[in-house]
Amino acid sequence: AARARPPARVRACAMAARPRKNSLTVVQREREGTPGAGDAAAKPTHRRDVSTCNTNLNVNWMDYSGAWSFYLLAVIMVWFCFFVLDGFRSGTAWTYTNMVHFLITFYLFHWKKGSPINADQGQFDDLTFWEQIDDGVHWTNTKKFLAGVPIGLCLLASNPYTGVAAEDGAVQLFNTALALLLLVAKVPEMHKVRLFGINRGIPTQ
């Protein structure tokens, strides 16, 4: 007997479920056996698409629309506060902003581990926020964006047009060091690496 074809609705759904390029959606296709000749009770051959996505509520909000804009807006608000307090001079304001950004993001992204979501049941207790983003996939769009922010802050704080004067090499070196520390913590080679055993183990609640 000729091999049975899947219904048109099943074929259309299967084509619609194909993942987009660079998407994190994982699609698994399972083919069932072909019914034998004369086996009227056998099920027709069909393809079933099962999609799974990142369900980690602790980090998947970074993929929501507006998350990147909110992040940048928070950075600008910090800069504006220092800008006003420093007498409306942007030079040191960007350096202070760079320092505050380093302290907050290093702790939240690369030091603090686990998830505050009770439904996770301790699944991510040994992973930092950065290691949880996009299920640990390296250099996704979100991770590229987060890596670009410290670079941008370093450039804004270290150039003579928006930051400190060109002859103030100590401040420029300070800004560069902060950016490099954040970038090193983000490279794939540092994934799940705990230098000298620091911050190793699962934190106690």
Side-chain angles (χ1 to χ4, degrees), residues 1-4 32-45:
R3 182 175 177 177
E32 296 188 357
T34 303
D39 188 1
K43 294 182 179 180
T45 301

Side-chain angles (χ1 to χ4, degrees), residues 14-29 49 51:
M15 293 180 64
R18 291 178 181 175
R20 294 177 298 172
K21 186 177 181 181
N22 297 328
S23 173
L24 291 177
T25 304
V26 180
V27 179
Q28 297 176 341
R29 294 180 173 88
D49 294 332
S51 298

Side-chain angles (χ1 to χ4, degrees), residues 9-88:
R9 183 178 62 85
V10 175
R11 296 200 306 272
C13 292
M15 293 180 64
R18 291 178 181 175
R20 294 177 298 172
K21 186 177 181 181
N22 297 328
S23 173
L24 291 177
T25 304
V26 180
V27 179
Q28 297 176 341
R29 294 180 173 88
E30 300 176 1
R31 291 185 176 274
E32 296 188 357
T34 303
D39 188 1
K43 294 182 179 180
T45 301
H46 69 278
R47 182 173 63 189
R48 182 177 59 196
D49 294 332
V50 181
S51 298
T52 60
C53 61
N54 183 12
T55 58
N56 185 353
L57 299 179
N58 186 40
V59 297
N60 64 2
W61 59 270
M62 292 295 299
D63 295 326
Y64 293 169
S65 176
W68 295 7
S69 299
F70 174 80
Y71 189 101
L72 292 177
L73 180 62
V75 172
I76 294 174
M77 290 297 295
V78 172
W79 169 82
F80 184 77
C81 292
F82 286 121
F83 178 67
V84 173
L85 293 174
D86 198 34
F88 298 96

Side-chain angles (χ1 to χ4, degrees), residues 103-164:
L103 293 175
I104 294 177
T105 59
F106 185 84
Y107 174 75
L108 293 179
F109 289 177
H110 306 292
W111 184 268
K112 184 176 174 58
K113 294 189 290 187
S115 169
I117 310 299
N118 292 330
D120 291 337
Q121 307 255 333
Q123 181 181 357
F124 309 106
D125 282 355
D126 60 337
L127 297 176
T128 63
F129 186 91
W130 178 262
E131 292 165 347
Q132 296 175 44
I133 295 177
D134 294 333
D135 285 332
V137 178
H138 303 305
W139 298 132
T140 59
N141 289 336
T142 298
K143 289 190 173 181
K144 289 177 182 178
F145 165 76
L146 294 176
V149 173
I151 296 176
L153 286 176
C154 178
L155 294 176
L156 288 170
S158 301
N159 76 83
Y161 299 101
T162 58
V164 297

